[in-house]
Amino acid sequence: MNLKDDLLAEIQKTFAEQWEEQSTASIPSAEELRLNANHAKNLDYATVLYADLNGSTSMVNSYKWWFSAEIYKAYLRCAGAIIKSEDGIITAYDGDRIMAIFTGKYKNTQAVKAALKINYSVHKIIRPAIKAQYPDITFLLNHTIGIDTSELRAARIGVKGDNDLVWIGRAANFAAKLTTRTGSSVWITKAVYEKINNEAKFANDINMWEPKLWETMDNFEIYCSNYTWRID
């Protein structure tokens, strides 16, 4: 058969085949899922965090390539280390963004703490380091983080020798879409806000979160913050 016939047969099989779903308490690896089958892992409820640099296109067009590379490395190094310190599992690095999944009893609080700590790293670690190394450069690092929680499943997609996991569930989509919002550095859904501990809601008895309506998503209720969480 030619490539068209091969693809048609595979796609027909995908739509016709029943799904086999297995429950899991941990983040699965690609090897735990079959590639050429409708096979999924069910994480039940999980919390997804996306952290994304803002203005990357302008940066790579306006500065030397090595400066952009240093910014990528600095931001993703801080974000990755902070996520792991809060027991998050990094599932993807995608250019200038990072995706992580949190599970367990305190998954929402841990994800929110990670986000506020990443915001701290931008303000108190990365920006001062840029200014110290390049005092004449006017570049200002900005970023946005989105977090949502929902039922979440994983499936393996791609072709033999070149494949990865895809995450199916609202949290994966909404967390990514929240990074496109402006005005605040951290955005969470109402579902996350309602589940986080008070330590992640209040600073000196002041609520760190401002309620908003997500106009382009049928006025879905979300919360935003520019607060930081000190890293010791």
Side-chain angles (χ1 to χ4, degrees), residues 143-206:
H143 74 127
T144 310
I145 298 172
I147 304 173
D148 188 22
T149 190
S150 74
E151 292 184 353
L152 194 66
R153 291 169 175 83
R156 193 174 177 187
I157 52 95
V159 296
K160 186 177 181 179
D162 191 7
N163 55 85
D164 204 348
L165 295 183
V166 61
W167 303 94
I168 305 104
R170 190 194 71 188
N173 293 89
F174 275 26
K177 285 183 170 63
L178 283 170
T179 65
T180 66
R181 294 190 61 85
T182 59
S184 293
S185 296
V186 183
W187 293 84
I188 64 176
T189 60
K190 181 181 179 182
V192 173
Y193 178 81
E194 289 180 338
K195 292 179 175 66
I196 57 178
N197 295 340
N198 282 342
E199 64 172 346
K201 281 185 181 179
F202 300 97
N204 298 320
D205 296 325
I206 298 173

Side-chain angles (χ1 to χ4, degrees), residues 18-140:
Q18 294 296 309
W19 280 87
E20 178 186 351
E21 184 178 353
Q22 298 172 323
S23 296
T24 179
S26 59
I27 308 300
S29 65
E31 292 72 26
E32 295 177 70
L33 286 144
R34 297 192 298 279
L35 176 60
N36 296 314
N38 286 356
H39 180 212
K41 294 281 189 177
N42 183 353
L43 283 74
D44 195 15
Y45 265 76
T47 299
V48 178
L49 177 152
Y50 265 95
D52 192 3
L53 282 175
N54 296 344
S56 294
T57 301
S58 175
M59 179 179 67
V60 297
N61 287 336
S62 302
Y63 296 92
K64 299 291 186 180
W65 70 265
W66 45 262
F67 179 78
S68 297
E70 290 170 6
I71 298 300
Y72 288 160
K73 285 174 66 70
Y75 181 70
L76 296 176
R77 172 68 178 85
C78 287
I82 290 166
I83 287 166
K84 293 180 74 172
S85 76
E86 291 295 335
D87 295 329
I89 302 297
I90 298 167
T91 56
Y93 288 97
D94 181 14
D96 60 355
R97 64 167 45 188
I98 186 173
M99 175 186 176
I101 297 176
F102 295 77
T103 59
K105 185 176 181 180
Y106 302 108
K107 54 185 173 289
N108 294 286
T109 296
Q110 289 174 309
V112 166
K113 286 172 64 176
L116 298 176
K117 287 181 178 182
I118 294 170
N119 199 34
Y120 177 94
S121 75
V122 168
H123 287 268
K124 302 298 183 179
I125 298 175
I126 306 174
R127 283 182 180 174
I130 295 170
K131 188 64 177 177
Q133 182 66 32
Y134 305 108
D136 297 327
I137 289 181
T138 58
F139 173 81
L140 182 66

